[in-house]
Amino acid sequence: MTPTIGEGVSEDFSQAVVGAHAALPANARRALAAAGFEVRTVSRIVEELPDLAGKRPTGYPDGFDYRHVDGLVVSDRKLLLVAEQCIDPETGQWGASSVERGKGVLRHETGHVMDIVHELLNDPDIAEAWRREAAALKSWRTAADVKTAREIDYFTQKFPDSALEVVAELFAIRHGGGTASQIEVTAAFPDTMARLNRALADKGL
């Protein structure tokens, strides 16, 4: 099942997401379809799901809402959304994501669905590695600039929310690149990555 293209989404962005989806392992695409998830490119998350307007997403700091989000899995609605536009927190203005960002978001959100399907974080070895490496990364927060500190928080705050973000990001990196822009997630979570990669390889992912 190829991604659905929403209204108002540019051709370049849509085709980049479609291509990234096609490049996923066959087992990942089969798992998405078998679980009933629709992959959809949209212009803005809050236009697609207006009931989320004004709400703060999990893991985001105060002052952020779903206008700042460009990727989302809605498990109860079986949706994986990749948005071309979101609000840039530095400018406060709406902006269009690059095609590379769109591909990374597709891979990252697919990682979330793979965890839903395969319960990857239920592996105690992966969870233990994340706890240890998250604590180490968090110790660098006080020396970080605002953007880097925000990203450190996103990947280290609490279990299981931040651990799920690391699992999704490592899945994305394994398959071509993720969404992190301030920290090297593979360098921060090498043991988590090694244990996750073993679990993914066992599942053909």
Side-chain angles (χ1 to χ4, degrees), residues 52-111:
L52 295 180
K55 297 180 180 179
R56 180 162 66 96
T58 301
Y60 280 67
D62 290 341
F64 282 67
D65 59 43
Y66 278 96
R67 295 174 303 165
H68 297 89
V69 173
D70 59 358
L72 185 65
V73 168
V74 189
S75 57
D76 61 340
R77 305 185 200 184
K78 301 292 185 179
L79 288 175
L80 188 164
L81 303 179
V82 181
E84 185 171 19
Q85 297 183 35
C86 65
I87 286 185
D88 182 335
E90 310 309 318
T91 66
Q93 302 298 313
W94 287 98
S97 296
S98 67
V99 295
E100 289 303 315
R101 171 74 185 183
K103 292 189 285 188
V105 170
L106 179 278
R107 298 181 195 114
H108 180 99
E109 300 305 330
T110 300

Side-chain angles (χ1 to χ4, degrees), residues 78-148:
K78 301 292 185 179
L79 288 175
L80 188 164
L81 303 179
V82 181
E84 185 171 19
Q85 297 183 35
C86 65
I87 286 185
D88 182 335
E90 310 309 318
T91 66
Q93 302 298 313
W94 287 98
S97 296
S98 67
V99 295
E100 289 303 315
R101 171 74 185 183
K103 292 189 285 188
V105 170
L106 179 278
R107 298 181 195 114
H108 180 99
E109 300 305 330
T110 300
H112 281 304
V113 178
M114 293 305 100
D115 180 77
I116 292 169
V117 171
H118 295 292
E119 299 183 327
L120 298 166
L121 198 55
N122 284 358
D123 184 328
D125 288 341
I126 296 173
E128 185 278 328
W130 175 83
R131 291 181 193 277
R132 176 168 33 83
E133 292 176 330
L137 177 58
K138 202 165 188 175
S139 69
W140 291 92
R141 188 188 187 284
T142 54
D145 60 34
V146 171
K147 290 176 69 174
T148 304

Side-chain angles (χ1 to χ4, degrees), residues 147-178:
K147 290 176 69 174
T148 304
R150 188 186 302 142
E151 197 159 278
I152 289 173
D153 287 345
Y154 193 66
F155 290 119
T156 66
Q157 279 185 326
K158 64 179 181 178
F159 187 90
D161 295 342
S162 292
L164 290 169
E165 295 303 333
V166 171
V167 166
E169 185 69 3
L170 290 173
F171 176 89
I173 291 167
R174 177 177 171 86
H175 295 296

